[in-house]
Amino acid sequence: MAQRCVIGVDLGGTKLLAGAVDPRRLTIHHRARREVFGLDQAALIEAAVGAVEEAIDASGGVADAVGFGIPCTFDRRTGIAVQAVNLPIADLPFADLMSERLGLPVEVDNDANCAVWAETRAGAARGARDVAMLTIGTGIGGGLVLGGRLYRGWVGAGAEMGHMVIDMDGPPCQGNCPNWGCLEAVASGTALVREAALRVAREPDTPLGRALEDGRPLTGPLITELAFDGDAVAAASVRVIGERLGVGIANLVNIFNPEVVVIGGGVIAAGDLLLDPAREVMAARALAPSRDLVRVAATAFGAESGMIGAALLAAAPEAAE
Ligand SMILES: [Zn+2]
């Protein structure tokens, strides 16, 4: 008899990753990937259905439920996606629609909520009951577990911690955010690239400057690679992003007194080059005793925490309530 599994789907603005997950052992039987950048609504739905069906078939054809993690805010009273910056699913009853198409129960949640749930149940914050997570990529997502439960806010739009203000007079934020100087505006992967561009323009005769001259595009992965190689411009860029991140973490530590703050998203590829300055700033700015007790840790599941968390939420949605 085929092994039962749940399907977790991380539906991002550019890529979709679906996995057939054994919710007890957390083994992943099969991964299905799709490019979704620029798709219209109908094509996006087809891509998602196709990826889920591929994962179900590859795992032996038996799935109990499907979970989606999506970078948008939801109104859980209606199940409708309210603000989906890079995906054409606004005003769509996404869970109902997918459930009808797939013939399975479907859970949908914010992608960072899924990620923090995975890290709390089985990852970097395993065993903790109070956990904050920031996923740092193009933007900054936030997920919160308080008292062992996923904190979603009144209608499900809470924990948007990437939009806490770090600098009242800072640069304008991204996407639909009308604010200025949000953590996302100054400490995201986008901000890292902007920071490095400013610095390398002043110091072009450096490894980073020469890499750009050789035609390599200025990206987070390039900056991270050269920071590890000891390039001063790249390392200083990562460091300043880490320091700003530390201001944001200090706020979270003061407000929530979390046991663990987990950092995920693509930018965590910089590891302790990012986390050490963040820890220093947090320790200098947050209040005792929270600052002395909190652990600031990198994600245990990397780019798969959203997918795994979506699967765990689909397998046992009541566990997060
Ligand atoms: Zn913002």
Side-chain angles (χ1 to χ4, degrees), residues 162-163 173-174 177 179 182 184:
H163 296 283
C173 197
Q174 314 185 120
C177 180
N179 213 338
C182 296
E184 171 165 320

Side-chain angles (χ1 to χ4, degrees), residues 9-13 44 48 67-74 81 83-89 92 94-95 98 106-114 160 306-307 310:
V9 185
D10 187 344
L11 176 52
L44 179 69
F68 284 87
I70 305 183
C72 68
T73 50
F74 287 95
Q83 295 218 324
V85 177
N86 296 310
L87 289 166
I89 60 163
L92 199 67
F94 187 81
M98 294 309 285
V106 169
E107 279 290 313
V108 179
D109 213 324
N110 175 272
D111 57 342
N113 287 3
C114 295
E160 288 288 347
M307 183 259 277

